[in-house]
Amino acid sequence: MNFATKSTYMRIWAWLVWALLILALLTAPQILLQEGHPVHAVGVALQTEDAQRLYYPWLPRKRWRKWAWRRYQQLRRRHQQAVCTARKVRLLLLGARSLAALFAVLTRRQISVQVGSLPILYALLERLQVRRIINKHVPSRAQVDIGTVALVLTLNRLQAPLPLYRIADWVGRTVLTHLLGIDPAKFNDDRLARALDAIAPHIEAIWEDVLAEAMRQGDVELTAVFYDLTAYVFHGRYQDSELVDFGFAHNTPSNKRKVKLGLNVLAGSLLPGPFQVWPGRTADQATVAANLKRLSAWLRDFVSPGISPLVVTDRAMLNDKLAFLYEDAGLGFLSGLSSSRKEVKRLLYEGDEAQFRKMPLEPGPDPQYWGRPCTVTFEHQGRRMDAKGLVVLSNPMRQQWRESRQKKMEELEQELQELQARIGEPRLRTPRIVARRVQACLNRSPVGKFYRFEVREVAGHVLLHWWRDEEALAQTERLDGRYLLVTNHWELSYQEMFQLYRDKDGVEKTFLISKQVLCVAPLHLHKDQRIQAMIFLNMIALLAHRLLAHQLRKQGVTASLQRIIRTLEETIIIESHFLDGSVLRRLAPLSAEAERFWRLDFEAVAALNSDTPSSTPPVWLLPSRPSQPPTAASPPLP
């Protein structure tokens, strides 16, 4: 008690001393701040903690923060022990009911991880050595190499195409986190954009290596090469872009900016071959010369000496000048020709249906396609070349054209009848005005050229009469369903010409996959080099897609790859985190169809050749092309 009284007495005196000192500082600061009287001279250096608390009474008397923290830790441990005890009691009470209740009590949380077809696609890209090839051409010292970034972007295009800023979230929700062992946050949009910038200068070299690996492992046989262009529509301004521009392209709006892609597709397997990105304003024929140079250089590694590869294109890709470019490049061509040329129109008009019926182009008792042989001459800068021609008569095309023409003619006649019923209105009272309105209707209609009309005035009444020009209509109907095929490969039979040209639709199917399945556009990018790099990664995804589909067809699987991928989307892994810190991963139950597709896909990937490359080039299935046609005259009719 004496100690407590003395301590209180000393604290009071300490407070009074400090109060007097502060008062002195406030009243006479100039004395204490003179030279030789520093402020710290009034302080007293005390060594012990008790002395400091005695002469500085505002210091805390106890270490209350440490005491409070210790008390909090004790209470927390007691709470955890209480919760654990309560769960054990609950487990004893509920354990007799069901194992599900037991599992729910022991589980802290559950996480579902999307699997889909990612393991199969990941294994396929690894077999194609995509990551190794990219890292060889684009080395990097970053924590995540460029090849891994490209691999993730390619898998995203195959599984669920997303813009760059959403890739990291997608990786975190999928099994790629475990396959790659990389934090999903590493795949942010800045890293992905920098990877695209690094890949852009090496696109051609990387693509050649990846394509060669795919052809080697897939045992791809070369029969022909299909070449065509498609356009990807872009939304936005893109004022500084040299690629994204207005231009004409089939089945795309003319008022939208676009980028064109020239793609070679290998016949049979439909694997994408050499490609090139073009500005949207580029004409189709303007790309042929550059494609021939690129294609002939690429084919040197896959074609034996003396073999002339065949390139199949549509009618917009061939004229007299281009025909000699094919010849000089040592390539064969098979293409349609536009009917705007006088010689082509003459060949189409020649021959009646009886002559076509003599040479069916399809096997079977009821063919729908017939042909008539001919010879087509190309002339350019004093050079002359004869090519093998075939005029094809397509019965389905003829019926379609005539049905469409008949429908448009009925619509035009309905419009003319409505105009005739309005004659006499204030704006339709004179023959000159009525004739002008009728001519405007005929000019707007695509079938207006098959109609003639007469407007006259009788007894103050304006009369309108129109009729069909049967002669002009008969001349046009004669060309219905006819088109001309031409090739400089004289060893091809007419049936082979027709069948190869029909197989050219495989290019359109490939373009359809790139647009609807892989979603090339929208790209959400504005720099030209990044656009080119992203299209390149889409081509790698397209190569993997077509190669897997090719392997499935070789195994006799009839289901489409799109259906297989959609079915496998239900595949997920459930992660269960328990109270003791352990983790259980299990695959969710699959349907019988999904299990079958898993087995087929893994068998297709396992069937790829992983041994060392062979020194023998792939077999070109077409015979060698002679330098000159067998005869200068047209082949005789069968």
Side-chain angles (χ1 to χ4, degrees), residues 373-394:
C374 63
T375 300
V376 181
T377 302
F378 293 99
E379 296 181 357
H380 180 67
Q381 295 181 349
R383 301 174 64 183
R384 180 186 176 92
M385 177 178 62
D386 291 334
K388 187 175 185 177
L390 174 67
V391 180
V392 179
L393 174 59
S394 170

Side-chain angles (χ1 to χ4, degrees), residues 480-538:
D480 287 348
R482 297 188 183 187
Y483 57 91
L484 176 63
L485 301 182
V486 60
T487 181
N488 60 347
H489 206 303
W490 285 87
E491 293 299 319
L492 282 177
S493 66
Y494 295 110
Q495 286 75 15
E496 289 175 336
M497 290 176 59
F498 171 71
Q499 189 59 44
L500 278 173
Y501 193 77
R502 288 190 67 183
D503 293 342
K504 187 177 66 66
D505 292 340
V507 183
E508 299 298 332
K509 296 178 182 178
T510 303
F511 288 149
L512 192 65
I513 292 173
S514 69
K515 293 181 179 180
Q516 296 186 359
V517 179
L518 305 180
C519 299
V520 171
L523 292 180
H524 305 282
L525 300 170
H526 289 271
K527 292 185 178 180
D528 287 350
Q529 59 182 4
R530 294 180 181 178
I531 292 174
Q532 291 179 339
M534 183 57 74
I535 292 178
F536 162 68
L537 294 181
N538 274 276

Side-chain angles (χ1 to χ4, degrees), residues 242-249 257-260 278-283:
E242 297 181 359
L243 283 178
V244 185
D245 199 355
F246 296 101
F248 172 78
R257 291 180 172 87
K258 54 185 69 71
V259 170
K260 290 187 176 181
W278 296 92
R281 61 184 175 274
T282 308

Side-chain angles (χ1 to χ4, degrees), residues 44-245:
V44 180
L46 301 177
Q47 300 298 329
T48 63
E49 185 178 355
D50 294 337
Q52 288 182 358
R53 289 200 187 98
L54 180 62
Y55 293 105
Y56 300 95
W58 57 81
L59 294 177
R61 301 181 63 190
K62 297 182 179 180
R63 296 182 177 272
W64 61 272
R65 293 180 181 177
K66 293 183 178 180
W67 175 84
W69 176 253
R70 286 195 298 268
R71 293 291 297 175
Y72 169 74
Q73 293 291 340
Q74 293 175 0
L75 293 175
R76 185 179 179 182
R77 285 193 296 269
R78 292 176 183 176
H79 173 72
Q80 291 178 350
Q81 292 175 358
V83 171
C84 184
T85 303
R87 290 185 174 179
K88 291 179 180 179
V89 174
R90 185 183 178 188
L91 177 61
L92 293 175
L93 295 176
L94 299 178
R97 297 184 181 179
S98 64
L99 292 177
L102 173 63
F103 188 81
V105 172
L106 295 177
T107 304
R108 179 178 299 173
R109 68 178 185 275
Q110 285 188 349
I111 302 174
S112 61
V113 179
Q114 183 183 5
V115 178
S117 56
L118 282 175
I120 299 172
L121 300 173
Y122 176 83
L124 177 59
L125 293 176
E126 287 294 281
R127 292 290 291 271
L128 295 179
Q129 303 185 31
V130 172
R131 178 160 46 176
R132 183 191 64 81
I133 293 174
I134 293 179
N135 286 331
K136 182 184 71 173
H137 292 278
V138 192
S140 173
R141 296 182 179 180
Q143 295 179 354
V144 182
D145 55 78
I146 303 298
T148 302
V149 175
L151 182 68
V152 169
L153 287 173
T154 304
L155 290 172
N156 177 256
R157 308 311 295 184
L158 286 164
Q159 186 76 13
L162 293 172
L164 296 185
Y165 69 92
R166 297 179 58 186
I167 297 295
D169 295 336
W170 173 77
V171 173
R173 295 192 302 267
T174 64
V175 74
L176 285 178
T177 304
H178 305 286
L179 289 176
L180 300 175
I182 301 175
D183 184 8
K186 297 291 185 181
F187 297 99
N188 55 76
D189 52 350
D190 291 335
R191 184 186 296 273
L192 301 180
R194 290 194 300 269
L196 294 178
D197 293 336
I199 291 174
H202 309 279
I203 288 177
E204 185 174 355
I206 297 173
W207 179 248
E208 289 181 358
D209 290 348
V210 173
L211 183 57
E213 188 69 23
M215 294 182 64
R216 180 183 69 83
Q217 295 209 23
D219 283 336
V220 177
E221 294 178 340
L222 298 174
T223 57
V225 178
F226 303 138
Y227 177 67
D228 202 354
L229 269 80
T230 190
Y232 301 126
V233 177
F234 282 67
H235 301 275
R237 295 187 177 181
Y238 294 92
Q239 296 179 350
D240 300 330
S241 175
E242 297 181 359
L243 283 178
V244 185
D245 199 355

